[in-house]
Amino acid sequence: ANRIDPAPRAAVAAYAAGFCLFDAEVQDTSELLSKIRNKYVKEAAECAKQVAFLEAPRPVLDPDLRTSQKFDYEDTFGLLSSTCRVLELPLGASLSELHRKTLEGDPPMCPALLASFARCRKVPPTWGLLATRRKDHIKQFRRAPEYVAWINAYLAFVRAVIRPLVPDPRGIVVQCPPTLRCQFADAVRPTGRRHRDDDYEGHQGEEINFWVPLTRVWGNNSLHVESSPAAGDFRPLELDVGQFYRFHGGQCEHYTNANDTGSTRVSLDFRVIPRSLWLDLFGQRIGEYPCELID
């Protein structure tokens, strides 16, 4: 057990046992060993802080903050236009026609778009090579000015539209970057399996999920989700551009199907936690996703 695992209660006990054994067995009082011991003393203290935090009384998330609901918004932030730019969409073209892009020239700037092509097409060798180097591709993408503009538009949207829906006086913790997904019109496989977010490590119970399509969605180009945990009443969300959906993704199962609609779906999804409820046990992450603090 250690503080990265994380299992802070078990880690505190393990550190205490280790110090007892160390002090009983090690007679060497050299400066090097003292530095090593002090390093672990500091780690043990961090674990103790986490245990105290976990055991302290905490407010409970208001269930109304993540009931399933559709919302409208006005895109004054450039969310759609900045997404079009990171996907290198030609001027005047529609995101729903993204699958018609020719496989010529340099690989796509956006790793999500390249992954979508690689799942559905026989891509050029240079594209395929970059698809196998996803971490390098992501680093390269995040240095691009188009990416910076996209993140700025996303955070402006979160501050203006999402933050008021989570009235925590300390602010919110929001996934950043959001997950950008492209499900092509001719995708013969779904983009993921049926799941709840809590099935995966690193999630905590107070998360609120938001799903923002940037194309019109219906039927099998949309997300299928149950209305409440264990309800089993799955239905595809029907939303237009300028709408988004909030739900309890930690416990509500959700999934996608193969897209047979003839229309590509581009969407953003992300998670939010009220800051007063955030445990921060995973290195400023929500699940596997980096996050930002917003007052």
Side-chain angles (χ1 to χ4, degrees), residues 134-151:
R134 186 168 175 80
K135 287 186 178 180
D136 291 337
H137 192 191
I138 290 173
K139 289 179 181 178
Q140 177 182 328
F141 175 51
R142 292 182 179 178
R143 290 193 294 266
E146 292 88 350
Y147 172 83
V148 174
W150 178 62
I151 289 297

Side-chain angles (χ1 to χ4, degrees), residues 1-3 7-21 43-45 47-48 51:
N2 57 54
R3 64 190 179 88
R9 294 181 182 87
V12 167
Y15 278 124
F19 292 142
C20 287
L21 184 61
E43 290 192 0
C47 291
V51 170

Side-chain angles (χ1 to χ4, degrees), residues 19-36:
F19 292 142
C20 287
L21 184 61
F22 182 92
D23 293 339
E25 299 293 333
V26 177
Q27 305 301 319
D28 188 342
T29 58
S30 68
E31 182 179 353
L32 176 60
L33 281 180
S34 294
K35 285 184 178 180
I36 293 173

Side-chain angles (χ1 to χ4, degrees), residues 200-259:
Y200 299 94
E201 294 181 357
H203 291 276
Q204 70 174 75
E206 293 81 9
E207 293 176 20
I208 307 166
N209 291 62
F210 292 93
W211 195 72
V212 187
L214 298 175
T215 54
R216 188 170 76 86
V217 293
W218 74 96
N220 282 334
N221 73 4
S222 191
L223 181 71
H224 293 63
V225 59
E226 56 185 346
S227 62
S228 59
D233 54 347
F234 295 97
R235 63 181 178 84
L237 301 178
E238 295 189 3
L239 300 170
D240 290 318
V241 179
Q243 296 182 310
F244 66 92
Y245 190 73
R246 178 189 69 191
F247 67 108
H248 184 0
Q251 288 296 311
C252 289
E253 287 192 298
H254 47 286
Y255 63 92
T256 59
N257 287 329
N259 186 358

Side-chain angles (χ1 to χ4, degrees), residues 9-211:
R9 294 181 182 87
V12 167
Y15 278 124
F19 292 142
C20 287
L21 184 61
F22 182 92
D23 293 339
E25 299 293 333
V26 177
Q27 305 301 319
D28 188 342
T29 58
S30 68
E31 182 179 353
L32 176 60
L33 281 180
S34 294
K35 285 184 178 180
I36 293 173
R37 189 183 189 285
N38 288 339
K39 173 180 177 292
Y40 289 113
V41 166
K42 290 179 180 178
E43 290 192 0
E46 287 298 317
C47 291
K49 284 182 183 178
Q50 290 183 4
V51 170
F53 180 75
L54 290 171
E55 294 179 347
R58 292 193 301 127
V60 177
L61 180 69
D62 180 350
D64 290 342
L65 294 181
R66 59 180 174 196
T67 53
S68 297
Q69 187 172 343
K70 181 192 299 187
F71 296 88
D72 297 324
Y73 72 98
E74 184 177 355
D75 186 9
T76 58
F77 325 100
L79 192 60
L80 176 60
S81 60
S82 62
T83 303
C84 289
R85 285 192 289 273
V86 298
L87 295 176
E88 300 168 278
L89 192 71
L91 188 65
S94 169
L95 284 177
S96 63
E97 300 291 319
L98 194 58
H99 57 284
R100 300 187 185 279
K101 178 180 170 67
T102 58
L103 306 186
E104 300 173 345
D106 294 332
M109 173 200 324
C110 176
L113 181 57
L114 177 57
S116 295
F117 277 118
R119 277 195 301 266
C120 301
R121 306 275 198 283
K122 181 177 174 59
V123 298
T126 54
W127 292 35
L129 180 62
L130 187 58
T132 65
R133 298 175 175 173
R134 186 168 175 80
K135 287 186 178 180
D136 291 337
H137 192 191
I138 290 173
K139 289 179 181 178
Q140 177 182 328
F141 175 51
R142 292 182 179 178
R143 290 193 294 266
E146 292 88 350
Y147 172 83
V148 174
W150 178 62
I151 289 297
N152 288 339
Y154 164 67
L155 290 176
F157 164 75
V158 169
R159 290 187 182 99
V161 178
I162 302 300
R163 175 66 178 94
L165 299 177
V166 189
D168 188 301
R170 294 187 59 200
I172 61 172
V173 181
V174 60
Q175 175 187 331
C176 186
T179 303
L180 172 60
R181 303 185 196 271
C182 307
Q183 188 184 28
F184 284 166
D186 53 355
V188 296
R189 290 183 296 172
T191 54
R193 65 177 182 84
R194 177 171 155 177
H195 70 283
R196 306 174 308 162
D197 283 4
D198 287 353
D199 293 339
Y200 299 94
E201 294 181 357
H203 291 276
Q204 70 174 75
E206 293 81 9
E207 293 176 20
I208 307 166
N209 291 62
F210 292 93
W211 195 72

